[in-house]
């Protein structure tokens, strides 16, 4: 099930919720961020690679469970990150967005829905 919502500053979020995971399209979020805060820059940091490796080792999974890149026919790219990985990206890119997203995740977990406010 996909949800799309917009933060107070107009940043677009698109989440995909499946039975076993919650993903965020960070490429969509990054459309409203500065060029130096794009997901590719974050993903290329050594600390992020170490974080993903450690997470996969602890979870017994492969990185493709945490990070999905979808190249569309029109040339655009969707970059979907597992919610807790997306939180790490958002903390790096914009603390306010990370806090806002955390509140929305909390609503989803506690109430089963996300408010439009």
């Amino acid at each position: 099930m996909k949800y799309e919502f917009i933060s107070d500053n107009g940043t677009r979020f698109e989440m995909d919720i499946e039975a076993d995971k919650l993903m965020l399209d960070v490429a969509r979020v990054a459309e409203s961020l500065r060029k130096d805060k794009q997901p590719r820059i974050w993903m290329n940091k050594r600390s992020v690679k170490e974080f993903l490796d450690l997470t996969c080792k602890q979870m017994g999974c492969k990185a493709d469970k945490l990070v999905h890149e979808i190249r569309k026919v029109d040339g655009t790219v969707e970059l979907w990150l597992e919610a807790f990985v997306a939180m790490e990206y958002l903390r790096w890119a914009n603390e306010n967005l990370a806090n806002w997203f955390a509140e929305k995740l909390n609503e989803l977990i506690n109430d089963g829905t996300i408010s439009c406010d």
Side-chain angles (χ1 to χ4, degrees):
M1 177 179 292
K2 287 194 178 185
Y3 288 95
E4 188 170 332
F5 47 101
I6 301 173
S7 74
D8 298 337
N9 73 350
T11 302
R12 295 175 126 343
F13 284 80
E14 185 174 338
M15 290 176 26
D16 191 4
I17 302 170
E18 296 178 13
D20 63 339
K21 61 187 165 191
L22 174 70
M23 306 287 287
L24 176 70
D25 181 2
V26 294
R28 170 72 61 97
V29 172
E31 291 171 358
S32 67
L33 299 175
R34 298 184 335 231
K35 289 194 183 289
D36 65 336
K37 297 296 181 179
Q38 297 301 303
R40 283 282 156 229
I41 294 170
W42 181 76
M43 294 285 294
N44 287 329
K45 296 172 78 56
R46 184 181 353 196
S47 61
V48 172
K49 289 178 178 151
E50 292 168 358
F51 165 71
L52 292 173
D53 288 344
L54 180 61
T55 301
C56 287
K57 190 175 188 180
Q58 290 175 338
M59 293 177 63
C61 70
K62 295 183 179 179
D64 64 352
K65 179 173 171 63
L66 305 175
V67 178
H68 296 265
E69 184 175 273
I70 300 169
R71 295 188 182 277
K72 295 184 153 192
V73 176
D74 67 1
T76 61
V77 176
E78 293 179 354
L79 182 60
W80 293 85
L81 301 179
E82 185 84 29
F84 68 89
V85 176
M87 281 299 304
E88 292 298 315
Y89 164 68
L90 290 173
R91 279 191 196 106
W92 172 80
N94 184 309
E95 190 71 30
N96 291 333
L97 278 181
N99 292 336
W100 185 87
F101 183 63
E103 287 176 22
K104 295 301 176 186
L105 283 180
N106 217 13
E107 285 178 25
L108 183 62
I109 291 166
N110 293 326
D111 305 333
T113 61
I114 298 172
S115 71
C116 293
D117 299 332

